[in-house]
Amino acid sequence: MTSHSAFAYREPAALSALLGLDWRLRGVLTDAELGAALAEAPAAPTLRQLQRLGLVKAEHGVRPQGGRMRLWSLEAALRMEIALSLAALTGVSLTRAARAVSDRLETVDRIASEVVETGCCETAASDVREGDLTRALDEDEALERFARNAVCDFLSRNRFKDAARPAFLL
């Protein structure tokens, strides 16, 4: 988190202005946006479980009407997407899938950053080979292919290419 975003989270008027931007541009999601963006919308206990396992950490912002709200970085959303997809497609517990991703956070974050920055998703679907799903739980190379595919699905489903930048950001 940059000092600029930390200020925006602590200052209600700044947070309100930030939340006026499309989440795909601001890189931070509210709970509602996170639920809509992920393929498997996580319930509150699931989010707490992923936090306890060390996979993600929520930021907190001050609401204009008082109180705090949770905010999720795009990085956290992508980690959740990968873990939730891995659990759903392999049939293992969410704890097992989240640990597989947590054990390789550096690799997962690197893959996610590359895909988001370059938008290179054309070959991702063909990169997932037969048997990769179960191997992704234990093998780095298989998890890399799976993570790339999951991030591409996330970007495509949420139409990242269609996010229009406001005129003052052009």
Side-chain angles (χ1 to χ4, degrees), residues 125-153:
S126 62
D127 282 348
V128 177
R129 299 181 185 132
E130 180 122 1
D132 270 355
L133 288 179
T134 54
R135 285 198 314 267
L137 294 167
D138 300 310
E139 296 176 14
D140 291 349
E141 189 178 317
L143 181 65
E144 284 183 33
R145 285 191 298 273
F146 182 84
R148 183 175 305 281
N149 196 51
V151 171
C152 287
D153 287 348

Side-chain angles (χ1 to χ4, degrees), residues 31-52:
D31 281 347
E33 292 165 336
L34 179 68
L38 296 173
E40 303 278 329
T46 302
L47 293 175
R48 284 192 291 278
Q49 179 183 9
L50 294 173
Q51 286 180 296
R52 269 194 317 276

Side-chain angles (χ1 to χ4, degrees), residues 87-163:
L89 293 173
T90 60
V92 300
S93 70
L94 180 58
T95 299
R96 173 77 171 95
R99 283 199 179 121
V101 174
S102 290
D103 289 347
R104 300 177 194 94
L105 277 184
E106 188 175 310
T107 299
V108 167
D109 290 344
R110 177 183 52 78
I111 294 291
S113 276
E114 285 174 12
V115 173
V116 169
E117 286 175 24
T118 63
C120 273
C121 290
E122 293 78 31
T123 61
S126 62
D127 282 348
V128 177
R129 299 181 185 132
E130 180 122 1
D132 270 355
L133 288 179
T134 54
R135 285 198 314 267
L137 294 167
D138 300 310
E139 296 176 14
D140 291 349
E141 189 178 317
L143 181 65
E144 284 183 33
R145 285 191 298 273
F146 182 84
R148 183 175 305 281
N149 196 51
V151 171
C152 287
D153 287 348
F154 179 90
L155 296 178
S156 175
R157 190 176 56 253
N158 290 293
R159 301 182 355 255
F160 262 67
K161 290 183 178 184
D162 298 341

